[in-house]
Amino acid sequence: MEKLLAEIRNCKTCLPFLEHGVHPVLSAHPKSKIAIIGQAPGSIVHKTGIPWDDKSGERLRDWLGVDTSGFYNAELFALIPMGFCYPGKGKSGDLPPRGECAPQWHKLLFRSLNEIDLILLIGSYAQKYYLNDRAKNTLTETVQNFEAYLPKYLPLPHPSPRNNIWFKKNPWFNDDLIPVLREEIMRYQI
């Protein structure tokens, strides 16, 4: 695992396409129990090199009901984005994750993550990649039908503050899904 993580952190596959350079950000351990598959690092995470080290990460930790030390315990959580480097800014926010990372690295990572019991799929990129044709037409539909993907997967919207309107329009998320998510996480005695 250490060798694989070093290879990923030294990956330069997308260098020609990344205005801010490569800085792959992830965290994993052979004993990780829960994989959190996110989108791609934002500009803050690109600078700090710490996964989910931003407002989105604060909201995610709140959803999970874990503190920072529990969240960054790699024996518990593997933090794996779809794209390992910050993709840059687009017209309406960050660009999508680069498409090269997941096919190049995810299978190799999961071969070394033998104790993963639950995979949290955050955002439509992770959901479409991992659920394939089982994903519904929209992120909202996929997340609403979260029970259909358990016990292996649990789809979530992205916790970005940019999604505050979505959260206001979908109060069922906090009422119905968050309690199930926390119950799942509590099985690991966090």
Side-chain angles (χ1 to χ4, degrees):
M1 175 64 86
E2 286 181 29
K3 183 180 179 222
L4 177 58
L5 291 174
E7 286 178 41
I8 294 170
R9 289 184 178 119
N10 288 310
C11 179
K12 304 233 185 301
T13 299
C14 299
L15 183 60
F17 310 104
L18 298 173
E19 168 186 352
H20 300 280
V22 294
H23 186 197
V25 179
L26 75 156
S27 174
H29 189 280
K31 293 183 179 180
S32 298
K33 305 288 186 266
I34 301 166
I36 298 176
I37 310 293
Q39 203 163 277
S43 60
I44 294 171
V45 171
H46 177 76
K47 291 174 187 161
T48 67
I50 302 169
W52 295 99
D53 184 28
D54 54 16
K55 292 288 183 192
S56 297
E58 288 175 21
R59 179 177 270 166
L60 178 59
R61 288 185 287 280
D62 181 58
W63 290 351
L64 300 171
V66 299
D67 62 16
T68 304
S69 63
F71 184 76
Y72 289 111
N73 176 356
E75 290 187 24
L76 183 57
F77 292 107
L79 307 174
I80 304 169
M82 291 298 294
F84 294 116
C85 296
Y86 173 54
K89 282 271 185 232
K91 291 179 183 175
S92 61
D94 288 347
L95 292 170
R98 295 288 313 165
E100 295 87 346
C101 292
Q104 183 173 348
W105 298 112
H106 280 212
K107 283 184 183 175
L108 293 171
L109 276 165
F110 278 99
R111 283 187 200 140
S112 299
L113 294 169
N114 299 318
E115 296 187 29
I116 295 289
D117 289 329
L118 177 64
I119 300 173
L120 305 180
L121 300 173
I122 299 181
S124 61
Y125 297 105
Q127 291 163 18
K128 288 175 184 170
Y129 188 83
Y130 280 92
L131 299 177
N132 297 305
D133 60 349
R134 291 181 60 211
K136 304 294 182 191
N137 290 331
T138 67
L139 175 133
T140 301
E141 289 178 79
T142 301
V143 174
Q144 278 178 315
N145 288 284
F146 68 92
E147 291 172 328
Y149 307 107
L150 289 170
K152 184 173 183 177
Y153 297 113
L154 184 55
L156 299 169
H158 197 284
S160 169
R162 296 181 69 85
N163 287 336
N164 285 342
I165 292 171
W166 187 93
F167 296 115
K168 286 180 182 169
K169 287 181 179 178
N170 297 283
W172 56 266
F173 175 75
N174 278 325
D175 298 340
D176 301 337
L177 194 149
I178 293 297
V180 172
L181 173 61
R182 287 185 178 165
E183 187 175 310
E184 289 289 322
I185 301 303
M186 286 303 295
R187 292 190 303 128
Y188 300 94
Q189 303 296 319
I190 299 171

